[in-house]
Amino acid sequence: MQRGYRMTDLKTTPLAQLHRTLGGKMVPFAGWEMPVQFPMGVMQEHLHTRAHAGLFDVSHMAQLRLEGANRVEALERLMPVNVAELKPGRQRYGLLTAADGGILDDLMFANMGDWIYVVVNAARADHDIPHIQSATSVEVLDRALIALQGPKAEDALAALNDAVRDMRFMDARVMPLIDGDCIVTRSGYTGEDGFEISVPKAEAVAVVEALLEQEGVAPIGLGARDSLRLEAGLCLYGNDIDETTTPVEGGLIWAMQKRRREQGGFPGADVIQRQLAEGTTRQRVGLQPEGRAPVRAGTTLHAVENGPVIGTVTSGTFGPSVGGPVAMGYVETSQAQPGTMLYAHLRGKYVAIRVATLPFVQQTYKR
Amino acid sequence: MTVKYTEEHEWLKQDGDEVIVGITEHAQAQLGDLVFVELPEPGIKVAKDDEIVVIESVKAASDIMAPLDGEVTAVNEKIVETPSLVNEDPLEEGWFFRMTLDDPSEFDDLMDEQAYKAFIG
C-alpha cells in the first residue's frame, strides 16, 4: 500500500462500484482508488489476458483534447516526436522531455483529424496538463477509459461494433459502441493485440457489462497489468523512466523519429543529440534472474560478487507467462550486451541475473 | 492434534515432540499467489521472531518468523518446487517446517482457533 493516502481522499472512476460488485480488491494508486486484483488472482488474471481477453479500468489516466490551431507545433515543441506527419486516424507513443533531456512523462497521442487526443499517466496529470497548456489550449475530457487486451479482444469488441475488425495496430477511430461516441484505439500496454476505449461516463458501466458478457472476457486488476507490461518490455513511468533518465538511456530512440532526432527543436535536444552521437554511460536493459526469486525494484546490480554497483533494477516481478522472474533496470553500457551475466544483491546474497533481450514475450499486435 | 495460532498468521500443530508450522488461510489470501519460497536449513537453532523463511508473492516479498524458540527439524521441499501449494492447501500440503520447542509450555500460551478468528476480525 502506498503511504499518504486515506481512502476517503481518493478519486474514484465511474466503474468503482462495479469493481466492488465483481469482488475487486481496491487500493490507492496515484491518488485513485483502483482494483489491484479480482477473485481470480494476479497470476490467473495475467494468464487469462494472454490466453483470452482481459478488461482493465484505466480511467485514472488523464484524457486530453487539443484543438488549438497551433496544436501540432505546440506538441512538437514539447516532444522529440514527429507529430506533424502522423496521419489522421493514427496513434503514436510520445515523450515529454525536460531541458536536461530527462523524461517528464510518456503518453499516447492520436490525430483525430481536427483535434489531437492525448492520454497521460495518472500520477503525472497534474504536471502535464499545465505543461501542455503553456503551449496550446487543453480540454480535459471527463470520460471513462477501459482497455480490452488479448487474443479474444477483437471478437468481444466486434460484438458491440463490427467496424473494429478493420482497425490495425495504432489506428484510432470514433464510433458508437452502445449509443454515445467512443474513442477506440487499437493499442494497449500488455504486449497483446487489443483496444483502449474512451467511453462517455454515463455509458461506462453498460459498455463494461456488455464486454464482460462476451466469451473469454474477465476483469483484470492493476497487479496483472504490471506483470503483463513488464513481460512486454514496456516502461512504467516513475520506475523505468523518469526525469533522471533520457530517451536514449531508456532505450526509446525508436520513439524519436528521424526528422526530430536530426533537426531538434524540443526540450533537451542538445543533450539527446549528443547522446545519440556519442552514446550514454548507462542503458535500460531486460534482466532475467537465474533462480526463482523475483528481483524487485531498487536491487543493486554488480559485475562480480562483492564488486561495485554497476546498475539498479527499476522493475521486477514474477512473470507468469515466462514462468519465472523478470526484471528491467539500468546498467553501465559496457555491461548492457544481452547475455552478460551480472549479480543482483538480494537479501545479503549475490544472485545471478542475466541481461536479456526485451520483450520477454512475443508481442502479438495486429499490424 | 492441537492447533494454535500466532499474531503473524502462522499456525502450529502439535505432533509428538515437534510442532508443524505453516501460514493460515487468511495469510495466504492476503499474500496472493506465491511464486518463491526459501526455507531454513534443518538443524538450525532459532529464536522467536527470527526471520527464517522468505516468501515472495506476485506482489511482494515477506518474511516468515520463527513462532517460538527452538530448533528446525525438517522443511517442506515440496513448496520450494511448487510454491502454489501454499495457496491451494495452506493447512496441510503447504506446511513450511517442523521444529522442536525449547519451552513446550509456550505453545499453550498461543491463540486457539477462536481467539485467532477474533484477532483477524
mmCIF file of all heavy atoms in Angstrom, chain B residues 13-30:
data_model
loop_
_atom_site.group_PDB
_atom_site.id
_atom_site.type_symbol
_atom_site.label_atom_id
_atom_site.label_comp_id
_atom_site.label_asym_id
_atom_site.label_seq_id
_atom_site.Cartn_x
_atom_site.Cartn_y
_atom_site.Cartn_z
ATOM 1 N N LYS B 13 0.892 -26.883 14.714
ATOM 2 C CA LYS B 13 0.178 -28.120 15.047
ATOM 3 C C LYS B 13 1.108 -29.003 15.865
ATOM 4 O O LYS B 13 2.222 -29.282 15.427
ATOM 5 C CB LYS B 13 -0.162 -28.854 13.738
ATOM 6 C CG LYS B 13 -1.625 -28.869 13.389
ATOM 7 C CD LYS B 13 -1.846 -29.693 12.129
ATOM 8 C CE LYS B 13 -2.321 -28.801 11.021
ATOM 9 N NZ LYS B 13 -2.594 -29.511 9.773
ATOM 10 N N GLN B 14 0.642 -29.443 17.016
ATOM 11 C CA GLN B 14 1.475 -30.324 17.843
ATOM 12 C C GLN B 14 1.490 -31.721 17.230
ATOM 13 O O GLN B 14 0.450 -32.243 16.838
ATOM 14 C CB GLN B 14 0.872 -30.392 19.241
ATOM 15 C CG GLN B 14 1.883 -30.766 20.299
ATOM 16 C CD GLN B 14 1.469 -30.208 21.651
ATOM 17 O OE1 GLN B 14 0.283 -30.048 21.931
ATOM 18 N NE2 GLN B 14 2.430 -29.900 22.474
ATOM 19 N N ASP B 15 2.697 -32.307 17.109
ATOM 20 C CA ASP B 15 2.820 -33.653 16.534
ATOM 21 C C ASP B 15 3.936 -34.358 17.296
ATOM 22 O O ASP B 15 5.110 -34.259 16.934
ATOM 23 C CB ASP B 15 3.134 -33.559 15.041
ATOM 24 C CG ASP B 15 3.127 -34.933 14.384
ATOM 25 O OD1 ASP B 15 2.472 -35.850 14.921
ATOM 26 O OD2 ASP B 15 3.781 -35.092 13.336
ATOM 27 N N GLY B 16 3.574 -35.036 18.386
ATOM 28 C CA GLY B 16 4.585 -35.660 19.243
ATOM 29 C C GLY B 16 5.423 -34.590 19.924
ATOM 30 O O GLY B 16 4.886 -33.634 20.478
ATOM 31 N N ASP B 17 6.754 -34.706 19.793
ATOM 32 C CA ASP B 17 7.656 -33.739 20.421
ATOM 33 C C ASP B 17 7.847 -32.494 19.552
ATOM 34 O O ASP B 17 8.538 -31.560 19.957
ATOM 35 C CB ASP B 17 9.049 -34.367 20.636
ATOM 36 C CG ASP B 17 8.996 -35.500 21.651
ATOM 37 O OD1 ASP B 17 8.003 -35.541 22.406
ATOM 38 O OD2 ASP B 17 9.925 -36.323 21.657
ATOM 39 N N GLU B 18 7.290 -32.528 18.352
ATOM 40 C CA GLU B 18 7.526 -31.418 17.424
ATOM 41 C C GLU B 18 6.240 -30.634 17.195
ATOM 42 O O GLU B 18 5.150 -31.082 17.526
ATOM 43 C CB GLU B 18 8.012 -31.974 16.077
ATOM 44 C CG GLU B 18 9.348 -32.696 16.179
ATOM 45 C CD GLU B 18 9.768 -33.278 14.834
ATOM 46 O OE1 GLU B 18 8.922 -33.425 13.923
ATOM 47 O OE2 GLU B 18 10.959 -33.577 14.696
ATOM 48 N N VAL B 19 6.429 -29.456 16.585
ATOM 49 C CA VAL B 19 5.271 -28.756 16.033
ATOM 50 C C VAL B 19 5.509 -28.560 14.536
ATOM 51 O O VAL B 19 6.648 -28.401 14.088
ATOM 52 C CB VAL B 19 5.000 -27.376 16.703
ATOM 53 C CG1 VAL B 19 4.556 -27.559 18.141
ATOM 54 C CG2 VAL B 19 6.208 -26.468 16.598
ATOM 55 N N ILE B 20 4.421 -28.631 13.773
ATOM 56 C CA ILE B 20 4.458 -28.327 12.344
ATOM 57 C C ILE B 20 3.982 -26.889 12.203
ATOM 58 O O ILE B 20 3.032 -26.482 12.886
ATOM 59 C CB ILE B 20 3.533 -29.273 11.543
ATOM 60 C CG1 ILE B 20 3.802 -30.731 11.947
ATOM 61 C CG2 ILE B 20 3.715 -29.080 10.051
ATOM 62 C CD1 ILE B 20 2.764 -31.703 11.383
ATOM 63 N N VAL B 21 4.652 -26.105 11.348
ATOM 64 C CA VAL B 21 4.338 -24.679 11.211
ATOM 65 C C VAL B 21 3.983 -24.362 9.765
ATOM 66 O O VAL B 21 4.649 -24.831 8.830
ATOM 67 C CB VAL B 21 5.539 -23.801 11.655
ATOM 68 C CG1 VAL B 21 5.181 -22.316 11.552
ATOM 69 C CG2 VAL B 21 5.970 -24.152 13.071
ATOM 70 N N GLY B 22 2.943 -23.578 9.601
ATOM 71 C CA GLY B 22 2.559 -23.087 8.272
ATOM 72 C C GLY B 22 1.885 -21.742 8.418
ATOM 73 O O GLY B 22 1.888 -21.148 9.496
ATOM 74 N N ILE B 23 1.321 -21.238 7.318
ATOM 75 C CA ILE B 23 0.592 -19.970 7.402
ATOM 76 C C ILE B 23 -0.897 -20.235 7.200
ATOM 77 O O ILE B 23 -1.288 -21.229 6.598
ATOM 78 C CB ILE B 23 1.106 -18.916 6.390
ATOM 79 C CG1 ILE B 23 0.914 -19.368 4.932
ATOM 80 C CG2 ILE B 23 2.562 -18.584 6.687
ATOM 81 C CD1 ILE B 23 1.188 -18.265 3.914
ATOM 82 N N THR B 24 -1.684 -19.315 7.712
ATOM 83 C CA THR B 24 -3.134 -19.527 7.739
ATOM 84 C C THR B 24 -3.761 -19.232 6.375
ATOM 85 O O THR B 24 -3.161 -18.591 5.516
ATOM 86 C CB THR B 24 -3.797 -18.617 8.786
ATOM 87 O OG1 THR B 24 -3.630 -17.260 8.375
ATOM 88 C CG2 THR B 24 -3.194 -18.835 10.166
ATOM 89 N N GLU B 25 -4.986 -19.699 6.236
ATOM 90 C CA GLU B 25 -5.793 -19.398 5.053
ATOM 91 C C GLU B 25 -5.901 -17.875 4.855
ATOM 92 O O GLU B 25 -5.744 -17.367 3.741
ATOM 93 C CB GLU B 25 -7.192 -20.025 5.238
ATOM 94 C CG GLU B 25 -8.224 -19.652 4.203
ATOM 95 C CD GLU B 25 -7.856 -20.075 2.778
ATOM 96 O OE1 GLU B 25 -7.208 -21.124 2.615
ATOM 97 O OE2 GLU B 25 -8.207 -19.340 1.852
ATOM 98 N N HIS B 26 -6.109 -17.159 5.956
ATOM 99 C CA HIS B 26 -6.196 -15.693 5.890
ATOM 100 C C HIS B 26 -4.889 -15.114 5.325
ATOM 101 O O HIS B 26 -4.902 -14.230 4.473
ATOM 102 C CB HIS B 26 -6.455 -15.150 7.303
ATOM 103 C CG HIS B 26 -6.402 -13.660 7.402
ATOM 104 N ND1 HIS B 26 -7.452 -12.862 7.013
ATOM 105 C CD2 HIS B 26 -5.417 -12.814 7.824
ATOM 106 C CE1 HIS B 26 -7.117 -11.583 7.204
ATOM 107 N NE2 HIS B 26 -5.899 -11.533 7.696
ATOM 108 N N ALA B 27 -3.748 -15.641 5.802
ATOM 109 C CA ALA B 27 -2.449 -15.116 5.359
ATOM 110 C C ALA B 27 -2.232 -15.380 3.873
ATOM 111 O O ALA B 27 -1.808 -14.492 3.131
ATOM 112 C CB ALA B 27 -1.326 -15.754 6.178
ATOM 113 N N GLN B 28 -2.540 -16.597 3.422
ATOM 114 C CA GLN B 28 -2.293 -16.896 2.001
ATOM 115 C C GLN B 28 -3.189 -16.041 1.112
ATOM 116 O O GLN B 28 -2.768 -15.590 0.055
ATOM 117 C CB GLN B 28 -2.407 -18.400 1.699
ATOM 118 C CG GLN B 28 -3.803 -19.006 1.598
ATOM 119 C CD GLN B 28 -4.525 -18.688 0.296
ATOM 120 O OE1 GLN B 28 -3.899 -18.337 -0.705
ATOM 121 N NE2 GLN B 28 -5.841 -18.803 0.316
ATOM 122 N N ALA B 29 -4.420 -15.773 1.579
ATOM 123 C CA ALA B 29 -5.334 -14.948 0.777
ATOM 124 C C ALA B 29 -4.818 -13.512 0.695
ATOM 125 O O ALA B 29 -4.906 -12.872 -0.351
ATOM 126 C CB ALA B 29 -6.734 -14.984 1.376
ATOM 127 N N GLN B 30 -4.262 -13.017 1.808
ATOM 128 C CA GLN B 30 -3.715 -11.658 1.809
ATOM 129 C C GLN B 30 -2.474 -11.549 0.935
ATOM 130 O O GLN B 30 -2.268 -10.546 0.258
ATOM 131 C CB GLN B 30 -3.355 -11.233 3.245
ATOM 132 C CG GLN B 30 -4.558 -11.022 4.143
ATOM 133 C CD GLN B 30 -5.422 -9.866 3.684
ATOM 134 O OE1 GLN B 30 -4.938 -8.773 3.410
ATOM 135 N NE2 GLN B 30 -6.727 -10.104 3.562
#
